[in-house]
Amino acid sequence: MGRWSEGTEADRKYVIRTMAFTIPYVAVNVAAIFGVFDQIIGKPAAWVLAAAVAAPIVGWIWAILSLMQASDEFVRALMAKRFIVSAGLAMAIASFWGFGESYANAPHLPNWLIFPLFWACMGVMTPLIRTSR
């Protein structure tokens, strides 16, 4: 069998939940890239679009917290440590860049990049943080 069959039930649920939030997130963003929503940009209806794109982020956080809850104590502590370190690192990088924008004329980056930055940090931290201590 494949890797999918080797995971726990919690792992499978996490993958399903993550995909359930990823697919609409990607679909809305791809549609935006191709101009589907251009007619509402700058209008009050654009707030609905902003909420629709941001909503899956709440879902992803719920999915990872659900995985943590379903895991044993060691895995839960390890994931929490990785999550906290990744969030802190992402905030530090975002703050550094924000101060660079304010004081050093660095080019502006949109605030929504904090979430992909968090996941990039999580990708880096996961193999580096191997103990819950």
Side-chain angles (χ1 to χ4, degrees):
M1 298 260 214
R3 173 83 173 123
W4 176 260
S5 63
E6 296 171 16
T8 66
E9 182 64 23
D11 293 334
R12 283 189 285 279
K13 285 182 179 179
Y14 174 72
V15 170
I16 290 167
R17 290 170 178 158
T18 299
M19 293 310 297
F21 294 111
T22 300
I23 291 168
Y25 178 84
V26 170
V28 170
N29 279 299
V30 168
I33 289 167
F34 286 103
V36 172
F37 305 111
D38 286 355
Q39 70 278 6
I40 67 167
I41 301 301
K43 297 179 181 172
W47 285 105
V48 175
L49 175 60
V53 178
I57 294 171
V58 175
W60 283 317
I61 293 168
W62 168 75
I64 199 162
L65 291 174
S66 295
L67 176 61
M68 289 170 68
Q69 182 180 25
S71 299
D72 64 40
E73 187 176 303
F74 171 74
V75 172
R76 189 176 317 126
L78 187 60
M79 291 176 67
K81 184 176 180 182
R82 291 171 176 166
F83 194 95
I84 292 165
V85 170
S86 299
L89 185 57
M91 286 186 279
I93 293 167
S95 295
F96 166 76
W97 194 262
F99 288 125
E101 288 181 20
S102 295
Y103 304 134
N105 293 325
H108 175 69
L109 293 177
N111 292 335
W112 58 261
L113 286 173
I114 187 69
F115 194 66
L117 177 60
F118 163 77
W119 283 109
C121 291
M122 186 73 125
V124 170
M125 290 295 107
T126 294
L128 297 178
I129 298 175
R130 303 180 59 89
T131 177
S132 61
R133 293 188 180 247

